[in-house]
């Protein structure tokens, strides 16, 4: 058996594995948005009422939704600090290369959102990432305090809002939702493309509400990177275990509160649980990687995590081919339980493809393009996989 995952190497294997697990969670959460009108989701309209569908929907809400995209955001901030540290260690400029990297990501995000799937997150990461340029050099304590304030903002705003209760679903709204399913599942591509642009605009303004949360998770990841808590997991095991236990307990309490009959309080508990669920999950994964059984189960996720950019876009391509009219046209026809099975099947294929690709190439195809756009030249990838632990 190989030795426990010790993230003291230039490339942190544990981070790749956690990122790969996060991608699975993101796919499971996004499957509903590939398949369902965003308006229907916002109005809590759900035609899937079988026991299996209800159980899967609640499990995804409790354990996946909001948590794994928060892990992804955490890792984005973590990666920015790593990039800064590596650049300073080599005497290379940091601000210019990170700015180019973020502008390239912004362009990728626009193409993804307007041409593939409206629920893109990359554009927002790039936009908020520009704020990390001056913040990445701050002291760990400053990053932690700012992070805690930012992640608390959205729940606090919800607490102060006088919610009128569930929005009434009128026949006109039901007609709009039915039309959305037609446009995505049956209509000609030109009409589908117009609706996708409209939904991207709506999604953009909706995401603005959660910018404090995203930036807060960026800063929390930056704090962990500054403290090097995941660089040497065995050396920080006691700290990580305490975080896992205490935050896991708080996460469990908030998860229980999501069953409250008053929708406002249930929603408040759900949103407040996102950062706690993210930190609990990533610390639990880090600790699990120090066991032999954990390595067996989790190491296959590392290849997906090393190609996270490519695999994230690929998930959207596959998802839209399944549900949109230019593919199988199954929009609005797949319930939560079947969607979960689809997610697991798609991810299994991604694990296999990622492993085969990395046996021949050093990085994923989109990662290679992104790197070339960042540094202004084409980086050749060797025909053999890079040795474990080298930097991508």
């Amino acid at each position: 058996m190989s030795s426990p995952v010790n993230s003291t190497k230039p490339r942190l294997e544990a981070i790749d594995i956690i990122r790969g697990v996060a991608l699975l969670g993101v796919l499971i959460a996004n499957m509903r948005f590939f398949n369902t009108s965003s308006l229907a989701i916002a109005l809590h309209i759900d035609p899937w009422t079988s026991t299996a569908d209800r159980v899967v929907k609640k499990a995804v809400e409790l354990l996946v939704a909001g948590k794994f995209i928060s892990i992804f955001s955490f890792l984005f901030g973590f990666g920015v600090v790593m990039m800064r540290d590596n650049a300073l260690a080599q005497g290379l400029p940091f601000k210019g290369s990170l700015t180019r990297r973020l502008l390239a990501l912004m362009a990728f995000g626009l193409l993804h959102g307007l041409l593939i799937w409206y629920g893109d997150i990359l554009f927002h990461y790039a936009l908020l990432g520009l704020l990390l340029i001056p913040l990445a050099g701050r002291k760990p304590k400053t990053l932690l305090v700012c992070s805690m304030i930012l992640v608390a903002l959205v729940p606090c705003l919800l607490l102060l809002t006088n919610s009128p209760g569930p929005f009434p679903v009128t026949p006109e709204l039901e007609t709009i939702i039915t039309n959305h399913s037609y446009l995505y599942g049956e209509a000609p591509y030109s009409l589908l493309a117009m609706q996708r642009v409209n939904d991207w605009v709506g999604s953009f303004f909706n995401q603005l509400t959660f910018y404090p949360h995203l930036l807060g998770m960026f800063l929390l990841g930056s704090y962990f990177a500054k403290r090097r808590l995941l660089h040497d997991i065995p050396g920080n095991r006691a700290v990580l275990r305490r975080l896992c236990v205490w935050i896991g307990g708080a996460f469990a309490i908030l998860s229980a509160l999501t069953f409250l009959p008053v929708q406002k309080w249930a929603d408040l508990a759900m949103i407040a649980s996102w950062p706690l669920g993210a930190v609990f999950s990533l610390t639990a994964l880090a600790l699990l990687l120090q066991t032999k059984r954990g390595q067996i189960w989790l190491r296959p996720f590392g290849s997906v995590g090393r190609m996270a950019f490519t695999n994230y876009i690929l998930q959207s391509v596959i998802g839209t081919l399944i549900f949109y009219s230019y593919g199988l046209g199954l929009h609005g026809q797949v319930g939560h339980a079947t969607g979960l099975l689809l997610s697991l099947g798609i991810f299994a294929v991604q694990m296999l493809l990622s492993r085969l690709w990395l046996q021949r190439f050093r990085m994923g195809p989109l990662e290679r393009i992104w790197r070339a756009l960042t540094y202004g030249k084409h980086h050749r990838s060797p025909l053999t996989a890079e040795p474990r632990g080298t930097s991508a």
Side-chain angles (χ1 to χ4, degrees):
M1 178 65 60
S2 58
S3 60
V5 176
N6 186 344
S7 300
T8 57
K9 300 175 182 179
R11 181 174 189 100
L12 304 185
E13 184 185 6
I15 295 299
D16 287 332
I17 292 171
I18 294 171
R19 187 181 291 114
V21 175
L23 265 177
L24 173 59
V26 168
L27 174 60
I28 292 172
N30 286 345
M31 186 58 64
R32 186 182 180 194
F33 291 86
F34 292 145
N35 175 45
T36 308
S37 163
S38 58
L39 180 59
I41 294 173
L43 295 175
H44 301 286
I45 297 175
D46 188 2
W48 310 104
T49 58
S50 71
T51 300
D53 284 323
R54 291 201 304 268
V55 169
V56 169
K57 178 186 177 184
K58 192 60 181 179
V60 171
E61 289 177 349
L62 286 175
L63 303 175
V64 178
K67 288 78 175 178
F68 285 87
I69 193 65
S70 296
I71 295 177
F72 222 56
S73 305
F74 173 100
L75 295 175
F76 187 88
F78 190 98
V80 167
V81 169
M82 285 189 61
M83 181 180 176
R84 177 182 180 274
D85 290 347
N86 290 337
L88 294 178
Q90 300 175 47
L92 299 175
F94 162 70
K95 294 182 179 180
S97 59
L98 179 59
T99 300
R100 290 192 299 272
R101 188 173 181 84
L102 293 173
L103 290 177
L105 185 65
M106 196 178 296
F108 278 117
L110 280 174
L111 292 174
H112 177 225
L114 296 175
L115 300 180
I116 302 176
W117 179 54
Y118 67 86
D120 168 78
I121 196 67
L122 301 178
F123 179 85
H124 304 281
Y125 275 23
L127 199 59
L128 281 173
L130 294 171
L131 297 178
L132 284 179
I133 296 175
L135 293 174
R138 298 294 180 178
K139 294 180 179 180
K141 183 178 180 180
T142 302
L143 295 174
L144 180 61
V145 171
C146 291
S147 170
M148 295 176 66
I149 293 172
L150 286 167
V151 297
L153 275 180
V154 176
C156 287
L157 290 175
L158 181 60
L159 182 63
L160 296 173
T161 301
N162 292 321
S163 175
F167 196 84
V169 180
T170 63
E172 291 78 11
L173 288 174
E174 291 181 342
T175 300
I176 293 173
I177 291 170
T178 301
N179 187 52
H180 284 178
S181 289
Y182 163 75
L183 290 171
Y184 280 115
E186 302 178 48
Y189 181 82
S190 58
L191 296 179
L192 184 157
M194 290 174 62
Q195 182 60 42
R196 181 168 51 205
V197 171
N198 290 336
D199 283 342
W200 181 87
V201 173
S203 175
F204 174 84
F205 287 105
N206 180 64
Q207 285 290 351
L208 292 178
T209 305
F210 297 98
Y211 269 23
H213 174 81
L214 293 177
L215 183 57
M217 294 307 299
F218 286 0
L219 296 180
L220 186 60
S222 300
Y223 167 79
F224 268 64
K226 288 272 188 177
R227 288 284 309 276
R228 303 183 70 83
L229 293 176
L230 298 176
H231 289 67
D232 179 16
I233 294 172
N236 292 301
R237 185 176 303 184
V239 175
L240 294 172
R241 186 181 292 117
R242 286 196 297 271
L243 285 172
C244 186
V245 171
W246 286 101
I247 292 181
F251 172 59
I253 293 172
L254 286 173
S255 296
L257 293 176
T258 63
F259 290 92
L260 289 171
V262 180
Q263 189 66 45
K264 176 179 178 178
W265 296 110
D267 289 344
L268 176 63
M270 180 66 69
I271 294 175
S273 75
W274 291 353
L276 297 180
V279 175
F280 166 70
S281 298
L282 66 91
T283 52
L285 289 169
L287 293 170
L288 191 58
L289 282 169
Q290 302 310 299
T291 67
K292 293 182 178 180
R293 190 179 296 272
Q295 295 164 47
I296 294 172
W297 283 96
L298 294 176
R299 265 194 164 126
F301 287 87
S303 57
V304 180
R306 283 180 58 187
M307 296 174 53
F309 184 19
T310 296
N311 280 312
Y312 172 71
I313 299 296
L314 182 59
Q315 288 176 357
S316 295
V317 171
I318 296 174
T320 52
L321 283 174
I322 292 173
F323 296 110
Y324 286 9
S325 62
Y326 53 76
L328 299 180
L330 297 179
H331 196 273
Q333 301 179 43
V334 175
H336 303 291
T338 304
L340 176 61
L341 294 177
L342 269 175
S343 300
L344 296 176
I346 292 169
F347 194 81
V349 172
Q350 288 190 297
M351 293 177 80
L352 176 61
L353 293 177
S354 298
R355 181 177 179 182
L356 293 174
W357 182 275
L358 291 173
Q359 287 176 355
R360 290 183 56 83
F361 300 101
R362 187 167 169 256
M363 64 187 73
L366 290 184
E367 283 80 2
R368 187 175 182 178
I369 296 172
W370 191 17
R371 190 177 183 88
L373 292 172
T374 299
Y375 297 106
K377 59 182 179 180
H378 191 63
H379 287 253
R380 295 184 59 187
S381 296
L383 293 180
T384 58
E386 62 176 337
R388 189 183 297 274
T390 59
S391 177

